[in-house]
Amino acid sequence: MTERVPVLQIGDVLLVSIQVDLEDQTVLNLQEDLAEQIVARAARGVVIDITAVEIVDSFVGRMLATIAAISRMLDAETVVVGMRPAVAITLVELGLSLGGVRTALDLEKGLALLRRSDSRTDRA
């Protein structure tokens, strides 16, 4: 049976904390679950916590970029938090820029980043 990554709600933000190995089907399920949750809960932001991710490959990098693109299409901004230095170095070495994905060092900073962008959007 394929594991599913839980999607939690904090106000109008969805939190995805990746604690499992990301196999292909797990990632596809996450993309689908997250898209459904963004719409169902009218989420304005998505925080993906990858603190537990020790190894990243091009598949995981593309997955993060794809989730950000799906979220943007559904009017939610994505922030990736908890990236380890080795993961950042690997992503750069693989040539993955993660376009459209904002990053923050931890969950608190990620939520603050979403709040700041929300306040700018509200004024516009």
Side-chain angles (χ1 to χ4, degrees):
M1 186 173 125
T2 304
E3 292 191 66
R4 288 190 110 78
V5 177
V7 178
L8 308 173
Q9 185 171 7
I10 302 172
D12 61 357
V13 173
L14 298 179
L15 172 62
V16 178
S17 182
I18 299 175
Q19 304 288 323
V20 298
D21 288 332
L22 293 172
E23 297 171 9
D24 293 11
Q25 192 58 51
T26 306
V27 170
L28 295 173
N29 290 343
L30 174 58
Q31 289 173 352
E32 190 175 307
D33 293 347
L34 192 54
E36 288 173 7
Q37 295 287 335
I38 289 169
V39 172
R41 298 180 183 194
R44 304 230 2 213
V46 175
V47 175
I48 302 173
D49 184 351
I50 62 169
T51 303
V53 176
E54 293 185 28
I55 300 171
V56 72
D57 58 14
S58 60
F59 176 74
V60 173
R62 284 193 311 274
M63 175 270 304
L64 293 171
T66 300
I67 286 176
I70 292 168
S71 299
R72 255 193 326 277
M73 292 286 220
L74 298 173
D75 199 27
E77 184 178 351
T78 300
V79 178
V80 173
V81 301
M83 189 176 300
R84 295 169 184 248
V87 169
I89 290 166
T90 302
L91 288 172
V92 170
E93 287 174 347
L94 290 171
L96 297 170
S97 64
L98 299 186
V101 179
R102 301 184 67 190
T103 59
L105 291 177
D106 58 34
L107 178 59
E108 186 179 347
K109 288 183 168 100
L111 291 171
L113 188 63
L114 287 173
R115 280 194 298 273
R116 281 197 306 273
S117 63
D118 268 356
S119 64
R120 282 195 293 270
T121 305
D122 291 343
R123 286 193 303 257

